[in-house]
Amino acid sequence: MTELRVTETHRAPADSREVGVLLSIDTAMGSSVAVGTPARIVEVSSDDPRRHAEVIGDLIARAYAEAGATPAETTAVVVGIGPGPFTGLRVGIAAATAFATGRGIPLLPVQGHEGVALAVLEAGSVAQPRVLQDAKRRELFVTAYAGLDDAGIPQRRHDSSLLSRASLIDEPGDIWPTGIPAGQLVRLAERRLVSGRAFAPNRPLYLRQPDVQQPSAPKRVST
């Protein structure tokens, strides 16, 4: 049985955002779901790197129960678009898209590394974090950030890219997360909604072609 981890953040009155109830889903590293209400943000996550499809339904149900909210109250769905591997990332994107379509509410795409950077920058432990994530095949997903803008949103100094481990040169601000915090994605979406900032394009950041591809057309046989 997969162990679930529950994290709850109570909001101060000044932190309340008039954006309703947000559901957030990310499966780039393990699986993470959060529900944000004006009173709290509850995140439920699993570190299992393979069973995304099996656990995502339980994570969503548990997050709503812990937050004291219902799917009918949800005003938008925040979806982590990566970077991440094809096999895991597509599960969260499919779940978020299906939920938003079924409820007839907006889908709000956010880069997962941005949530990691937000937590680090607000903690003040690193001034210019660089988020690194295992991409397998001796490669890494890498995104570098410069700090927070006036809306409290992390600003990239280098866009997400694929880097070979052999070419990695360590930097003082390197961060190696064990998962993408869906609760931080809720906070990022709130800040973008309140400030009128644009969301990420609605497409996954695989950064490489998936292993399984559509077969090409058969070659014509000459006679």
Side-chain angles (χ1 to χ4, degrees):
M1 182 176 179
T2 302
E3 182 178 352
L4 304 184
R5 183 173 58 256
V6 180
T7 304
E8 182 173 355
T9 303
H10 290 273
R11 299 183 189 271
D15 293 335
S16 180
R17 308 277 181 168
E18 298 298 327
V19 297
V21 175
L22 299 184
L23 169 66
S24 173
I25 300 174
D26 190 285
T27 53
M29 299 176 66
S31 302
S32 182
V33 171
V35 172
T37 73
R40 64 181 64 85
I41 298 174
V42 175
E43 177 180 319
V44 185
S45 57
S46 165
D47 292 333
D48 194 317
R50 298 181 182 276
R51 300 182 65 249
H52 307 284
E54 289 86 345
V55 303
I56 196 68
D58 290 340
L59 293 178
I60 292 172
R62 179 73 178 274
Y64 275 109
E66 295 285 345
T70 67
E73 298 174 272
T74 310
T75 52
V77 181
V78 186
V79 58
I81 59 165
F86 176 80
T87 303
L89 193 58
R90 64 177 178 165
V91 174
I93 292 174
T97 301
F99 191 105
T101 301
R103 301 295 309 171
I105 54 180
L107 186 69
L108 309 177
V110 177
Q111 289 193 22
H113 285 185
E114 196 170 294
V116 177
L118 177 62
V120 172
L121 288 166
E122 287 194 330
S125 54
V126 177
Q128 291 192 322
R130 184 175 66 161
V131 182
L132 299 106
Q133 174 186 342
D134 184 12
K136 308 304 182 184
R137 302 183 189 172
R138 300 179 182 177
E139 292 179 318
L140 301 167
F141 297 122
V142 182
T143 317
Y145 293 88
L148 299 174
D149 66 11
D150 57 2
I153 298 170
Q155 295 300 289
R156 291 190 297 274
R157 54 189 170 94
H158 296 298
D159 288 338
S160 299
S161 61
L162 200 61
L163 180 71
S164 70
R165 282 185 176 270
S167 63
L168 176 66
I169 300 175
D170 293 337
E171 294 184 4
D174 284 354
I175 305 295
W176 295 81
T178 57
I180 302 298
Q184 297 294 342
L185 301 189
V186 168
R187 300 179 65 229
L188 286 167
E190 290 175 343
R191 293 179 182 188
R192 289 185 178 277
L193 288 169
V194 170
S195 64
R197 303 296 173 84
F199 284 83
N202 187 17
R203 58 176 181 267
L205 287 175
Y206 296 131
L207 300 184
R208 72 155 72 102
Q209 293 297 314
D211 292 332
V212 179
Q213 300 184 29
Q214 291 289 339
S216 58
K219 293 182 179 180
R220 180 177 297 178
V221 177
S222 58
T223 57

